[in-house]
Amino acid sequence: MGVCHTAHGSFQTPAFMPVGTQATVKGMTPEELEGLGAEIILANTYHLYLRPGHERVRRFGGLHPFMHWNRPLLTDSGGFQVFSLNSLVKVSRNGVEFQSHLDGSRHFLGPEKAIEIQQALGADIIMCLDECTSYPATQETAEQSLRITLEWARRCQEAHRAPEQALFGIVQGGMYADLREKSAEALIQIGFDGYALGGLSVGEDKDTLFRVVAHTTPLLPEDRPRYLMGVGLVEDILEAVQQGVDMFDCVLPTRNARNGALFARFGKIIIKNAKYADDPFPVDPDCSCYTCRNYSRAYLRHLFLADEILALRLNTIHNLHFYLQFMRELRQALAEDRFGCFIDAFRARVPGESLRDPREEDELGPSPSQRGRAHFSQKQSCALAQPNLLKNL
Amino acid sequence: MGVCHTAHGSFQTPAFMPVGTQATVKGMTPEELEGLGAEIILANTYHLYLRPGHERVRRFGGLHPFMHWNRPLLTDSGGFQVFSLNSLVKVSRNGVEFQSHLDGSRHFLGPEKAIEIQQALGADIIMCLDECTSYPATQETAEQSLRITLEWARRCQEAHRAPEQALFGIVQGGMYADLREKSAEALIQIGFDGYALGGLSVGEDKDTLFRVVAHTTPLLPEDRPRYLMGVGLVEDILEAVQQGVDMFDCVLPTRNARNGALFARFGKIIIKNAKYADDPFPVDPDCSCYTCRNYSRAYLRHLFLADEILALRLNTIHNLHFYLQFMRELRQALAEDRFGCFIDAFRARVPGESLRDPREEDELGPSPSQRGRAHFSQKQSCALAQPNLLKNL
């Protein structure tokens, strides 16, 4: 538990960052995000570089005034999207050549360029360009990929000029413990304002994911934020917080909302299901969000089936509230030194049903709650997350 | 100018009703609509009968609780959509047989059924089933169509059982003055809580439209609301108010918003245009809406090109504010006995550029502002609208 201070105010950790890919968290106004308790959000450099263009955003004084968000903001480096949204990429030591997914135009992204773009976008926290090691990868491939990532990290740190922007390094190394160690050590030697775990949640099973998290997180400085990129479900966040992770981002709450999958403490509601057609109850009768206070499952189902914009809004409000409320309760438990009880209570209220995206069912194997139970029971004790306090970032 | 009282509060006239076809004004929450000053909204019986079904809505206590809207609400009869959304309709004296535009299923809508459905939906104002006379139509066709509409009106009034719902009759008769007279007289003899002008804005030119409005409106009782269905642009509303019309509905502000066409006092902004790419100004620097207070044209253009949900929301907020602010100013002018000045000021601030939907350009002939000027100058004087005051509707 801690507080991170930035040029646009502070945010508490452990923090969940709603994803605002194109300079907007889909469907939400900044005021609504603030009302939901979002203290920091993420925007995607790749998308904003292509459209509307970082130079344009720079002329507006950066993303904050452009998108009317006046709180902490993080941009990724663009690397992950370059690799995941493009089939035609050419990686060299200098950077990566890729085609725009919008119009096929060719572009080049190197470490210096990634910093230049992110400086123009003006986020409070910016990320080093990294090569996200594919999965599965041989040790040799992972090592080669790591070598590039470390060189880029050094060059990003050299190119970094804006003192009001915190620069985070990204640990890579595939699923190999020794490479993760090497990566962490090298990054710490360069010295960054925070450290991220990258190259995870890329198709590996959950045990592998958390083996890497458990191995890598303790290697990172306790007084700097540790950020697990792209994770995940609240049960995954819970487990990662136990390992000492401070920051998270994931599209799950917002994307699931738009797909009509709504999180609740007792499981997940697929709102289009016929069983909700006449259901007068809110999504979660214990939830205090705007959606649950005012609308029935039946009405939400109607809006969703009718392709109404309001469906996307109300669903997004609910799912973001679910995540951000979870983070508030988690921080409260940490502050009151009762994290173990929090974990027990969490497991008790998530029975057999999974909270995860049903479309991922096949890829990920057994349900997280089942897996979670087995995993937790193997532990000797549920060690508390090490509080990370970062002042005047 | 007047006030209409309903079971869900009152609304001032002349009133503009935002359209909430599927039990939601697209993209808006009820709280936002209230904040924008919407005092009454419209929902479409045809759509709600098909989905989610009027019996389902009845079980929820009607549309008001179902959609979380606690102010006045009007439903149309469904007739217009039956004719406009379906190619396979079979009209008889008893009603109209049609196929669902959703799944092709066959349905029957007669006057009794239209009332039954609207009673289940529970709006404060409900409409008689009418046959919207096609345009152009021969006098014989129009007369035949009118005969059916009048029979249906009688049967609707007989079927009408809910005293808390006001029932409006709909004047038809095509573009024929004598048929409109006949229609108005017959409806008045049956006796309704209000009277609508139907079968207009169906492809006729503006001069024809306003010839019919000017001829028909004075035939209708002054102490009952007069409702011009489906109209229109603010300049059309202005002209119709001069003729004594009290109520309006139109999809223009909301649909145009979703298409990126934004109304402003000086003309219309097509937000995707390249000239707005770096434009730091709000849509209308004189506008006080949430969108104009917080966002640049450049950001709105970015959101629109990026297909972001927030684009639809911000655009809709602006366009609805534009309409509802116009109605407030218009009512204020009527209240202060300076409607003539209001018209002059309106014309002065709309120069050559039209406010209308550019996609309608070809259908409608010369721009409304040009046409409006010619038309107004032919008048001897700009007579004020006759105030219609309807108490305890």
Side-chain angles (χ1 to χ4, degrees):
Chain A
M1 250 206 69
V3 178
C4 291
H5 301 277
T6 81
H8 289 89
S10 53
F11 63 92
Q12 301 172 77
T13 61
F16 177 79
M17 300 182 280
V19 176
T21 297
Q22 304 191 108
T24 164
V25 174
K26 291 192 189 305
M28 296 290 101
T29 63
E31 287 82 357
E32 282 169 338
L33 290 169
E34 286 184 34
L36 287 164
E39 298 187 329
I40 174 169
I41 63 173
L42 176 149
N44 288 115
T45 292
Y46 169 85
H47 292 84
L48 296 169
Y49 159 72
L50 291 179
R51 183 176 61 192
H54 62 294
E55 288 300 348
R56 175 160 292 138
V57 175
R58 190 205 298 274
R59 286 194 290 275
F60 278 83
L63 280 175
H64 286 94
F66 186 62
M67 68 183 286
H68 177 51
W69 171 255
N70 203 26
R71 292 194 173 191
L73 180 64
L74 180 147
T75 44
D76 60 10
S77 68
F80 182 77
Q81 272 76 24
V82 164
F83 291 104
S84 61
L85 293 179
N86 289 276
S87 48
L88 291 169
V89 290
K90 225 172 89 183
V91 187
S92 69
R93 273 185 56 196
N94 274 335
V96 51
E97 207 184 317
F98 65 96
Q99 279 192 306
S100 159
H101 74 291
L102 297 174
D103 61 7
S105 56
R106 296 207 68 84
H107 299 268
F108 182 82
L109 186 66
E112 293 78 12
K113 180 84 179 227
I115 296 298
E116 179 204 326
I117 296 170
Q118 290 183 86
Q119 198 173 321
L121 297 176
D124 303 289
I125 301 175
I126 65 176
M127 305 298 296
C128 286
L129 183 66
D130 62 331
E131 191 190 36
C132 183
T133 310
S134 55
Y135 179 84
T138 64
Q139 173 126 9
E140 200 185 344
T141 307
E143 195 160 8
Q144 202 170 357
S145 166
L146 175 59
R147 207 174 302 133
I148 284 185
T149 290
L150 288 177
E151 178 174 341
W152 288 357
R154 266 185 292 273
R155 287 165 56 181
C156 281
Q157 184 58 283
E158 275 165 32
H160 178 224
R161 293 280 177 277
E164 73 280 8
Q165 290 186 305
L167 176 61
F168 281 24
I170 303 176
V171 179
Q172 288 286 353
M175 307 304 159
Y176 299 97
D178 55 337
L179 294 184
R180 289 278 169 179
E181 280 171 37
K182 186 179 162 186
S183 178
E185 280 164 21
L187 290 174
I188 292 165
Q189 203 164 22
I190 301 170
F192 289 97
D193 299 309
Y195 298 88
L197 304 182
L200 293 170
S201 222
V202 289
E204 77 281 12
D205 62 66
K206 286 287 171 99
D207 284 336
T208 304
L209 163 63
F210 284 109
R211 189 170 48 72
V212 174
V213 171
H215 184 77
T216 313
T217 312
L219 305 173
L220 301 172
E222 278 183 25
D223 63 344
R224 302 278 107 187
R226 300 147 161 179
Y227 164 26
L228 178 53
M229 303 181 84
V231 170
L233 289 160
V234 289
E235 51 259 46
D236 299 337
I237 291 175
L238 190 63
E239 182 147 347
V241 166
Q242 283 191 284
Q243 310 294 347
V245 176
D246 305 292
M247 295 169 63
F248 303 89
D249 80 282
C250 192
V251 295
L252 266 187
T254 41
R255 180 178 293 165
N256 273 15
R258 298 195 305 282
N259 292 327
L262 301 171
F263 294 107
R265 290 173 188 238
F266 47 79
K268 196 155 65 176
I269 282 189
I270 307 301
I271 199 66
K272 74 174 175 195
N273 283 352
K275 66 178 170 182
Y276 302 121
D278 287 295
D279 194 328
F281 290 102
V283 174
D284 181 347
D286 291 328
C287 176
S288 64
C289 83
Y290 169 78
T291 303
C292 287
R293 278 186 285 113
N294 297 299
Y295 302 94
S296 64
R297 294 169 181 168
Y299 182 66
L300 293 177
R301 177 177 187 266
H302 163 64
L303 290 181
F304 186 77
L305 292 181
D307 277 333
E308 281 289 348
I309 303 165
L310 191 57
L312 312 178
R313 286 185 63 186
L314 296 179
N315 293 354
T316 301
I317 287 171
H318 173 79
N319 274 1
L320 280 179
H321 175 88
F322 179 86
Y323 263 68
L324 295 165
Q325 178 63 22
F326 173 80
M327 299 308 290
R328 277 190 291 273
E329 291 175 9
L330 187 156
R331 288 193 300 264
Q332 188 73 16
L334 285 170
E336 294 170 0
D337 207 9
R338 49 173 181 78
F339 192 54
C341 302
F342 181 79
I343 293 171
D344 292 343
F346 178 84
R347 275 186 242 156
R349 79 188 181 201
V350 183
E353 204 174 338
S354 167
L355 293 179
R356 85 162 100 146
D357 192 334
R359 296 164 309 153
E360 295 176 352
E361 202 75 37
D362 293 336
E363 295 170 44
L364 297 180
S367 92
S369 57
Q370 290 169 335
R371 185 206 47 68
R373 265 198 293 277
H375 186 94
F376 281 123
S377 66
Q378 286 162 13
K379 286 177 186 287
Q380 292 302 310
S381 67
C382 290
L384 271 193
Q386 286 300 326
N388 280 354
L389 185 66
L390 180 76
K391 287 196 177 151
N392 303 314
L393 189 71
Chain B
M1 251 205 70
V3 178
C4 291
H5 301 277
T6 80
H8 289 89
S10 51
F11 63 92
Q12 302 171 78
T13 61
F16 178 79
M17 299 182 281
V19 176
T21 296
Q22 304 191 108
T24 164
V25 175
K26 291 192 189 302
M28 296 290 101
T29 63
E31 287 82 357
E32 282 169 339
L33 290 169
E34 286 184 33
L36 288 164
E39 298 187 328
I40 173 170
I41 63 173
L42 175 150
N44 287 114
T45 292
Y46 169 85
H47 292 84
L48 295 169
Y49 159 72
L50 291 178
R51 184 176 60 193
H54 62 294
E55 288 299 349
R56 175 160 292 139
V57 175
R58 190 205 299 275
R59 286 194 289 275
F60 277 82
L63 280 175
H64 286 94
F66 186 62
M67 69 183 287
H68 176 52
W69 172 256
N70 204 26
R71 292 194 175 192
L73 180 63
L74 180 148
T75 44
D76 60 9
S77 68
F80 183 78
Q81 272 77 23
V82 165
F83 292 105
S84 62
L85 293 179
N86 289 277
S87 48
L88 290 169
V89 288
K90 225 172 90 185
V91 187
S92 69
R93 274 185 55 196
N94 276 334
V96 51
E97 207 184 317
F98 65 97
Q99 279 192 305
S100 159
H101 74 290
L102 297 174
D103 60 8
S105 56
R106 296 207 69 83
H107 298 267
F108 182 81
L109 186 67
E112 292 79 14
K113 179 86 179 228
I115 296 298
E116 179 204 326
I117 296 170
Q118 289 183 88
Q119 198 174 320
L121 297 176
D124 302 289
I125 301 175
I126 65 176
M127 305 297 295
C128 285
L129 184 66
D130 62 330
E131 191 191 35
C132 184
T133 309
S134 55
Y135 180 84
T138 63
Q139 172 123 9
E140 201 186 343
T141 307
E143 195 160 7
Q144 201 170 356
S145 165
L146 175 59
R147 207 173 303 133
I148 283 185
T149 290
L150 289 178
E151 178 175 340
W152 290 356
R154 265 185 291 273
R155 286 167 55 182
C156 281
Q157 184 57 285
E158 275 165 30
H160 179 224
R161 294 277 179 278
E164 72 281 8
Q165 291 186 304
L167 176 62
F168 281 24
I170 302 176
V171 179
Q172 289 285 353
M175 308 303 159
Y176 300 97
D178 54 339
L179 294 183
R180 289 278 169 180
E181 281 171 37
K182 186 179 162 186
S183 178
E185 280 164 22
L187 291 174
I188 291 164
Q189 203 165 20
I190 302 171
F192 289 98
D193 299 309
Y195 298 87
L197 304 182
L200 294 170
S201 221
V202 290
E204 77 281 11
D205 63 65
K206 287 287 172 102
D207 284 336
T208 304
L209 162 63
F210 284 110
R211 190 169 48 71
V212 174
V213 171
H215 184 76
T216 313
T217 312
L219 306 173
L220 301 172
E222 277 184 24
D223 62 345
R224 304 278 106 186
R226 300 147 161 178
Y227 165 25
L228 178 54
M229 302 181 84
V231 171
L233 290 161
V234 289
E235 51 260 46
D236 299 337
I237 291 174
L238 190 63
E239 183 146 347
V241 166
Q242 283 193 283
Q243 310 294 347
V245 176
D246 304 291
M247 296 169 63
F248 303 89
D249 79 283
C250 193
V251 295
L252 266 186
T254 42
R255 181 178 294 165
N256 273 16
R258 297 195 304 280
N259 292 327
L262 302 171
F263 294 107
R265 291 173 187 238
F266 46 79
K268 196 155 67 176
I269 282 191
I270 307 300
I271 200 65
K272 73 175 176 195
N273 283 352
K275 66 178 169 181
Y276 301 121
D278 286 295
D279 193 329
F281 290 102
V283 173
D284 181 347
D286 292 327
C287 176
S288 64
C289 82
Y290 169 78
T291 304
C292 286
R293 279 186 284 113
N294 297 299
Y295 302 94
S296 64
R297 294 169 181 169
Y299 182 65
L300 294 178
R301 177 177 187 267
H302 163 65
L303 289 182
F304 186 77
L305 292 181
D307 277 333
E308 282 289 349
I309 304 166
L310 192 57
L312 311 178
R313 287 185 64 186
L314 296 179
N315 293 355
T316 301
I317 287 171
H318 173 79
N319 274 2
L320 279 179
H321 175 88
F322 179 86
Y323 263 67
L324 294 166
Q325 179 63 22
F326 173 80
M327 299 308 290
R328 277 189 290 271
E329 290 175 10
L330 186 156
R331 288 193 299 264
Q332 188 74 16
L334 285 170
E336 293 170 1
D337 208 9
R338 49 172 182 77
F339 192 54
C341 301
F342 180 79
I343 293 171
D344 292 343
F346 178 84
R347 276 187 240 156
R349 78 188 182 201
V350 183
E353 205 175 337
S354 166
L355 293 179
R356 85 161 101 144
D357 193 334
R359 297 166 309 154
E360 295 176 352
E361 203 76 36
D362 292 337
E363 295 168 43
L364 298 180
S367 93
S369 57
Q370 289 169 335
R371 184 208 46 71
R373 265 197 293 275
H375 185 94
F376 281 123
S377 65
Q378 287 163 11
K379 287 177 185 286
Q380 293 302 311
S381 67
C382 290
L384 271 193
Q386 286 301 324
N388 281 354
L389 186 65
L390 180 76
K391 286 197 176 150
N392 303 312
L393 188 72

